[in-house]
Amino acid sequence: MTAVILATACAIVYGTADFCGGLATRRSRVLSVVTLSQIAGLALILAMLPFLPGVFSEGAIVWGLGAGVAGAAGLVLFYRALATGVMSVVAPTTAVTSAALPVLFGLASGERPEVMALAGVGLALLAVLLVSRSPAKEQRSSASSIVAALAAGAGFGGFFVLLAQAPDESGLWPLVGARLASVTMVVLVAVVTRRSLRPGEGALGIIAVAGLLDMAANVLFLLAQQHGMLSLVAVLVSLYPASTLVLARYVLGERLHAVQVAGVAFALGAVALIAVA
């Protein structure tokens, strides 16, 4: 039950971070938002190290670095897929892939959830597919954008898988390695593409909040996977788009489509099934 609570809280915080990041991109360039929010997250994790100490080890840093590279690569590929494809196809393809990969890895590595929990996993994957869809008149997407979306999902899923491989006694050190790797990658992209990282007027605050919440969610994920199976924790965490949608509905007044409402309902059902298993 502890893992379910932590993973559900993680999904809510991730979704809130994405909501804040989305607001920030209305005032600043995407690369600026990504880079500055990553730096804010790095500052938070360094500040938290004395309060949640762990054992520093080569394994903790190496697995963290690998997770950071996978996550940053996933982000770059995701934006590339969005630029060349249709969002209503790219987003759910990426989301389901990122959710399915840790589940498959967990099952392949010997995890055996109960039947009811597996039913919750299936319902959660369906929920991720539904809440990630957005209406579009044109539903065709190029083969290259689909491949990029699948690769992006693999990157996001790989982030969870690699982070979970770090020794349990590592504390927050894997996240330090992950954030160092991701910050380095996005800064290199900015330098190579000659993009300005200067935030838009009044956007720095919301960018910082997005980065702090994202890192807080990462901490919750680490704690959750230490208390439960990766195949269950990761799929619950992948329900984060549901909280983003709810915030968009009640904070911005955006309209939710029937398929997305159904996805939110399925997400709640998935949490319930996994919790009682």
Side-chain angles (χ1 to χ4, degrees):
M1 181 61 74
T2 300
V4 173
I5 294 172
L6 289 170
T8 303
C10 177
I12 293 172
V13 178
Y14 264 138
T16 306
D18 275 5
F19 176 76
C20 293
L23 291 180
T25 57
R26 297 184 177 186
R27 306 176 186 178
S28 299
R29 295 178 182 274
V30 170
L31 191 57
S32 172
V33 172
V34 171
T35 304
L36 295 177
S37 64
Q38 295 277 299
I39 292 173
L42 177 60
L44 175 64
I45 200 63
L46 291 176
M48 291 179 67
L49 278 175
F51 302 99
L52 291 173
V55 178
F56 177 85
S57 67
E58 181 180 348
I61 296 299
V62 170
W63 285 114
L65 288 171
V69 170
L75 190 63
V76 172
L77 288 166
F78 181 60
Y79 284 129
R80 177 178 176 80
L82 289 176
T84 59
V86 179
M87 182 177 292
S88 59
V89 176
V90 169
T93 299
T94 300
V96 172
T97 304
S98 67
L101 183 61
V103 173
L104 294 174
F105 180 86
L107 295 175
S109 60
E111 293 183 354
R112 293 295 180 264
E114 296 183 15
V115 174
M116 190 171 292
L118 287 175
V121 169
L123 192 60
L125 292 175
L126 178 59
V128 172
L129 176 65
L130 295 178
V131 299
S132 301
R133 291 198 65 84
S134 59
K137 294 181 180 179
E138 178 58 65
Q139 296 296 317
R140 295 181 179 179
S141 198
S142 66
S144 62
S145 67
I146 295 297
V147 171
L150 289 169
F156 293 146
F159 173 82
F160 293 127
V161 170
L162 293 170
L163 204 59
Q165 305 313 302
D168 288 343
E169 67 274 11
S170 299
L172 302 182
W173 283 109
L175 291 177
V176 175
R179 193 45 52 97
L180 285 173
S182 60
V183 167
T184 301
M185 284 191 67
V186 293
V187 168
L188 284 176
V189 170
V191 171
V192 171
T193 58
R194 298 182 180 180
R195 301 288 181 87
S196 172
L197 297 180
R198 183 176 181 180
E201 185 176 354
L204 186 58
I206 192 69
I207 292 174
V209 170
L212 295 175
L213 288 174
D214 179 70
M215 181 52 72
N218 288 337
V219 173
L220 287 169
F221 170 77
L222 264 186
L223 296 174
Q225 64 86 25
Q226 290 172 3
H227 288 84
M229 299 182 189
L230 176 64
S231 54
L232 300 183
V233 168
V235 78
L236 287 175
V237 170
S238 297
L239 295 172
Y240 69 87
S243 57
T244 305
L245 284 178
V246 172
L247 284 171
R249 169 67 182 86
Y250 289 103
V251 176
L252 301 179
E254 293 184 3
R255 178 171 172 248
L256 296 185
H257 297 271
V259 66
Q260 295 173 318
V261 174
V264 173
F266 287 161
L268 295 174
V271 173
L273 283 174
I274 294 175
V276 300

